[in-house]
Amino acid sequence: MRIVIAPDSFKGCLNATKVALAMQKGARRVFPEAQIDLIPMADGGEGTVEAVLNAVKGRKIEVKAKDPIGRQISAFYGLIENDKTAIIEMAAASGLPLLRAEERNPRITSTQGTGELIRDALDRGVKKILLGIGGSATNDGGAGLAAALGVKLLNSQGEELPPGGAALANLQDIDVSELDSRLAEVQCEVACDVQNPLCGPEGASAVYGPQKGAKPEDIRILDAALLNFGEKLSKLSGTNLLELPGGGAAGGLGAGLVGFLGAKLRPGSQMILDVAKAEEKIKHADLVLSGEGMTDFQTAYGKVPVGVAALAVKYKVPVVVISGAVEGQPDLLGDYGVNCCFSVSEGPGTLEEAFSKGEVQIERTVWRILTVWKLGAESAFRKENY
Ligand SMILES: Nc1ncnc2c1ncn2[C@@H]1O[C@H](COP(=O)(O)OP(=O)(O)O)[C@@H](O)[C@H]1O
Ligand SMILES: O=C(O)[C@@H](CO)OP(=O)(O)O
């Protein structure tokens, strides 16, 4: 029996490594001799640097940077490939958990801090930047990041815009003449956690604005502001950023990185699967286990379980998803190669109780699923003998 275990973190409960270890414990109870490969995953959002540093040799760098509302904080990124490549997750400087609930306001939050992390990596002479995006507190299309790297975003009076997504409604001109020239020599690859477009009903503001504190009126303002921004930057860069899958990831940062830096976007889980050389492992597996904190309507936009399933489906390997909670119609994930989804939650209780029992519940759920799997395999074997 060969099993690949490739879950995302359960946000608020356990990081991806702990989830993977709990799944392994459950699997070993049923198949003590199984060959098990652990691939703690991430999707571009929080945990991306850790997932990459788990898979390849590298080191973590601590850096001072601005948080989404301009406070100086201690952030981090990773260096791999003999310090020639930086692995940065935007959530480290511009992530939602950096703000208290009452501080969340995507009209004014900025990606400036992520630009500062990039600058630090350039100062260290990297030749390639892998940038994970998602888990953001921002909706500024990467305007703050661009400004930190020398771009000037100007209103009709030629004045620089204040930070935040709402100000982009007044964007008139983009001056890239002072963009950090070192970027021309650096390849920038972006791992997006979702495939949403920049604007519209499936866009950054409408789908992910509410979790960042946007009210319906804010969503209207932010969506219109990103449309103005997207049109101006599309013209400047010669790329239609409004049609770009992933352009709406991390509050439109996906579109901004393509427009300002000529970056290449790809699904985040794919980047981690590549770095971890997962294809070789999944190809020979009998079963793949994945999971995430909450499997819901956002999962199909490109979250870890569907990224893992896209690879497994190539080799007809079954995928079972085990998540903290499952909402909506998880059966629809069948279209993405997920065979079935399970929630680890047991009966009513608070989220805090569920978090405190996370490891045990994951182990127990995997044990149950694999017990049924084994019974099925044994009964098939018996039938063969009749
Ligand atoms: N052990 C658990 N039991 C029940 N629900 C959980 C558990 N762990 C995480 N969750 C739910 O998952 C949510 C986080 O979802 P997750 O998929 O990890 O993040 P994201 O949607 O940002 O990618 C938490 O806010 C919580 O509602
Ligand atoms: O940052 C965001 O806007 C969203 C989508 O990229 O992230 P998450 O899926 O983690 O909520």
Side-chain angles (χ1 to χ4, degrees), residues 11 133-136 138 193-194 208 211-212 248-251 298 303:
K11 213 183 266 179
I133 69 170
S136 69
T138 53
D193 73 333
V194 293
Y208 304 102
Q211 70 199 28
K212 303 174 192 179
Q298 292 187 356
K303 300 287 178 140

Side-chain angles (χ1 to χ4, degrees), residues 99-161:
L99 302 184
R100 292 196 302 272
E102 64 276 17
E103 292 171 338
R104 294 177 182 180
N105 180 357
R107 285 181 180 230
I108 59 162
T109 45
S110 165
T111 49
Q112 179 182 2
T114 303
E116 293 171 345
L117 297 185
I118 293 178
R119 233 172 38 210
D120 192 87
L122 293 174
D123 291 345
R124 290 174 193 269
V126 301
K127 292 288 163 246
K128 187 170 172 184
I129 294 174
L130 305 176
L131 183 57
I133 69 170
S136 69
T138 53
N139 209 88
D140 74 345
L145 174 149
L149 294 169
V151 174
K152 291 199 172 62
L153 295 138
L154 306 167
N155 67 15
S156 53
Q157 271 85 54
E159 298 154 347
E160 281 198 57
L161 298 179

Side-chain angles (χ1 to χ4, degrees), residues 72-103:
Q72 194 82 342
I73 55 160
S74 174
F76 64 88
Y77 65 93
L79 287 173
I80 56 172
E81 294 166 350
N82 293 323
D83 292 356
K84 289 287 166 255
T85 298
I87 167 74
I88 299 175
E89 69 187 47
M90 69 88 68
S94 314
L96 193 56
L98 297 169
L99 302 184
R100 292 196 302 272
E102 64 276 17
E103 292 171 338

